[in-house]
């Protein structure tokens, strides 16, 4: 919701994270917080499988190239993120469409009906179920590159604890920092993805088309910090995750 807002003059603008929670609850009820939950639930298993399986495969392939270990982890992460993005993008299109709909939960179409409507009006390509693919490639590619590169390098530097509780905290802490840093670095791609996949400012006119052009438009019209909209809820979700 934060990422599709076009500045303070936008009628759907939220003043803060707390204001966003209150507004959604008042207008859309408790179930408003669970809009679009089915697509990510359906995507989660294949997404995780593709992420970690392809990361290991790319890591093996890079073993034939004389790269420093740190760089190899980052490049393998980039490859896994790009592959993962192709799998999850159709689910993201449906999810964003549902989440940006401000009608009550009961008034919304189901995920399957929404997907059918998207395919009917835009097809399976860049105007339909694969809208915003380049931005999704950037989002997942950059996130996984930073995450895997940072996590595995730092994990190998910090000594292992014999105490299982301390060892858990060590890995959790490294993962938390990795996810937070990756979220901060990749969020401009996330903002671009939300603008492309979400509702356009003028119905019937496509303002946000491609990833980097969308970033440039947001920067020009709303300033540099607009590329970091929604950073706090993103970190709250992906850091611990």
């Amino acid at each position: 919701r934060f990422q599709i807002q076009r500045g303070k003059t936008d009628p759907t603008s939220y003043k803060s994270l707390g204001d966003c929670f209150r507004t959604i609850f008042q207008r859309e009820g408790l179930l408003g917080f669970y809009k679009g939950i089915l697509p990510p639930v359906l995507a989660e298993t294949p997404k995780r499988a593709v992420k970690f399986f392809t990361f290991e495969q790319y890591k093996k392939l890079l073993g034939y190239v004389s790269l420093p270990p740190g760089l190899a982890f980052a490049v393998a992460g980039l490859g896994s993120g790009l592959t993962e993005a192709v799998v999850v993008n159709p689910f993201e299109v449906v999810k964003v469409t549902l989440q940006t709909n401000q009608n009550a939960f009961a008034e919304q179409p189901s995920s399957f009906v929404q997907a059918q409507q998207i395919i009917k009006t835009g097809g399976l390509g860049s105007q339909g179920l694969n809208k915003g693919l380049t931005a999704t490639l950037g989002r997942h590619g950059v996130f996984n590159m930073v995450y895997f590169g940072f996590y595995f390098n730092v994990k190998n530097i910090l000594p292992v604890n014999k105490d299982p509780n301390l060892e858990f905290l060590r890995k959790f802490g490294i993962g938390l920092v990795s996810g937070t840093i990756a979220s901060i670095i990749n969020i401009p791609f996330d903002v671009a993805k939300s603008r492309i996949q979400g509702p356009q400012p003028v119905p019937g006119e496509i303002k946000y088309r491609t990833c980097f052009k969308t970033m440039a438009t947001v920067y020009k019209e709303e300033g540099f910090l607009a590329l970091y909209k929604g950073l706090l809820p993103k970190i709250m979700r992906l850091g611990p995750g």
Side-chain angles (χ1 to χ4, degrees):
R1 291 286 180 92
F2 277 109
Q3 291 177 344
I4 63 168
Q5 296 176 127
R6 298 177 297 277
K8 295 181 180 179
T9 57
D10 192 320
T12 64
S13 181
Y14 302 110
K15 299 180 181 67
S16 64
L17 183 59
D19 179 58
C20 180
F21 272 98
R22 285 192 298 272
T23 304
I24 291 175
F25 182 74
Q26 290 169 358
R27 292 179 181 174
E28 303 165 43
L30 182 62
L31 291 177
F33 295 111
Y34 295 89
K35 285 180 175 179
I37 192 173
L38 185 58
V41 167
L42 293 175
E44 193 62 24
T45 298
K47 169 187 170 182
R48 296 291 176 183
V50 168
K51 177 200 286 279
F52 290 105
F53 174 76
T54 56
F55 174 73
E56 292 299 327
Q57 301 312 305
Y58 288 127
K59 198 168 63 170
K60 288 179 183 177
L61 289 174
L62 290 168
Y64 297 103
V65 184
S66 57
L67 289 177
L71 182 59
F73 284 128
V75 173
L78 173 62
S80 72
L82 295 175
T83 310
E84 175 191 29
V86 176
V87 175
V88 303
N89 192 67
F91 295 93
E92 285 290 316
V93 173
V94 177
K95 183 193 77 170
V96 170
T97 305
L98 291 170
Q99 289 182 342
T100 53
N101 185 334
Q102 296 191 13
N103 293 331
F105 186 90
E107 298 173 1
Q108 277 199 323
S110 69
S111 297
F112 295 106
V113 170
Q114 186 68 72
Q116 289 174 336
Q117 290 177 354
I118 292 170
I119 294 171
K120 184 178 180 179
T121 56
L124 299 172
S126 61
Q127 298 303 314
L129 209 56
N130 271 294
K131 187 191 302 182
L133 177 59
T134 53
T136 305
L137 287 167
R139 184 180 80 153
H140 287 265
V142 170
F143 183 91
N144 284 6
M145 178 179 68
V146 175
Y147 175 80
F148 282 116
F150 185 91
Y151 180 85
F152 282 102
N153 282 287
V154 173
K155 187 167 74 73
N156 292 332
I157 294 171
L158 297 180
V160 176
N161 284 291
K162 294 181 180 180
D163 186 324
N165 293 324
L166 292 176
E167 177 61 12
F168 166 78
L169 290 176
R170 181 184 78 97
K171 289 182 177 178
F172 181 83
I174 298 170
L176 177 65
V177 174
S178 302
T180 300
I181 293 174
S183 298
I184 292 170
I185 293 175
N186 89 326
I187 193 169
F189 292 95
D190 207 356
V191 171
K193 184 189 79 71
S194 296
R195 294 294 180 97
I196 295 168
Q197 295 177 346
Q200 299 291 318
V202 179
E205 295 182 15
I206 300 177
K207 179 177 183 178
Y208 305 113
R209 289 183 180 273
T210 61
C211 177
F212 291 106
K213 188 175 180 181
T214 297
M215 286 186 193
T217 301
V218 171
Y219 173 76
K220 182 179 178 181
E221 295 182 353
E222 303 167 42
F224 178 74
L225 291 180
L227 293 170
Y228 289 84
K229 285 184 175 179
L231 178 59
L232 179 58
K234 181 180 175 70
I235 289 175
M236 291 170 66
R237 176 171 66 93
L238 288 175

